Amino acid sequence: MSKSSKVVPGSIVEGFVVCPFDNVHRLLPSRLAVHLVRCARNFPSAKMVRCPFNVTHVHSVADMMTHVACCPNRSTMVHYMNPETLPPVEPRPADFCVQSAEDWDAEPPAKTYNPRTHCENNFLILNPQGNAPAVRREIRERERRRFLQNNQF
């Protein structure tokens, strides 16, 4: 059985790009830049030059002047060289300062919260963690006496 190698229209081959160094090479457009670097090493005698606007555009020296005049990527360089033709940039909003009577650096009119005095005045049970066992025992005894004196039990 012999298999024919015909290219059917609408097949996978349509999405590929032809290498400018070797017409047999067919590759995906996303791989063209990498391939051109490698393929140029295999053809050092080829008089091919790269377009200054797009590295994937490779042409012969004779055709390059024509290509540069009508390259589709030339518009990017023209806009870069002539920035006055670009639309104007929106001006930055002016800095403003809000006048206020508040002074955040001044001390507050109310006293600050002290958790130790709050616990001593409101008969809360203290949890003496992080102390030695003897110190914890002493704190618990002191708290029992304080609660008994104020009839909290």
Side-chain angles (χ1 to χ4, degrees):
M1 279 197 245
S2 67
K3 294 183 179 180
S4 63
S5 59
K6 294 180 181 177
V7 176
V8 180
S11 66
I12 300 173
V13 178
E14 287 182 6
F16 287 74
V17 179
V18 178
C19 173
F21 291 104
D22 189 358
N23 292 338
V24 178
H25 295 169
R26 309 255 188 251
L27 24 113
L28 292 170
S30 61
R31 300 287 302 158
L32 182 62
V34 175
H35 174 79
L36 289 176
V37 171
R38 293 181 180 163
C39 199
R41 289 185 212 139
N42 297 336
F43 297 94
S45 62
K47 302 294 182 192
M48 304 289 271
V49 289
R50 294 178 186 266
C51 174
F53 309 119
N54 189 340
V55 293
T56 60
H57 298 170
V58 179
H59 294 281
S60 65
V61 176
D63 294 338
M64 184 50 73
M65 293 304 288
T66 311
H67 172 76
V68 167
C70 64
C71 180
N73 297 110
R74 183 186 174 113
S75 63
T76 307
M77 181 62 86
V78 170
H79 284 300
Y80 177 75
M81 297 300 287
N82 300 321
E84 65 272 356
T85 60
L86 296 174
V89 179
E90 292 183 23
R92 288 183 52 222
D95 294 331
F96 63 93
C97 181
V98 177
Q99 298 296 328
S100 176
E102 292 182 29
D103 184 12
W104 286 42
D105 295 327
E107 291 295 322
K111 287 184 150 183
T112 58
Y113 174 73
N114 187 347
R116 185 173 300 276
T117 57
H118 179 73
C119 291
E120 290 172 358
N121 296 335
N122 292 326
F123 303 109
L124 298 173
I125 298 173
L126 296 178
N127 191 358
Q129 291 182 350
N131 295 321
V135 175
R136 287 194 305 243
R137 230 176 286 123
E138 181 186 328
I139 292 173
R140 280 195 299 265
E141 271 304 313
R142 190 174 12 151
E143 290 297 305
R144 277 191 199 108
R145 277 187 257 122
R146 186 172 66 99
F147 278 31
L148 289 173
Q149 287 174 357
N150 294 314
N151 296 325
Q152 293 296 318
F153 276 126

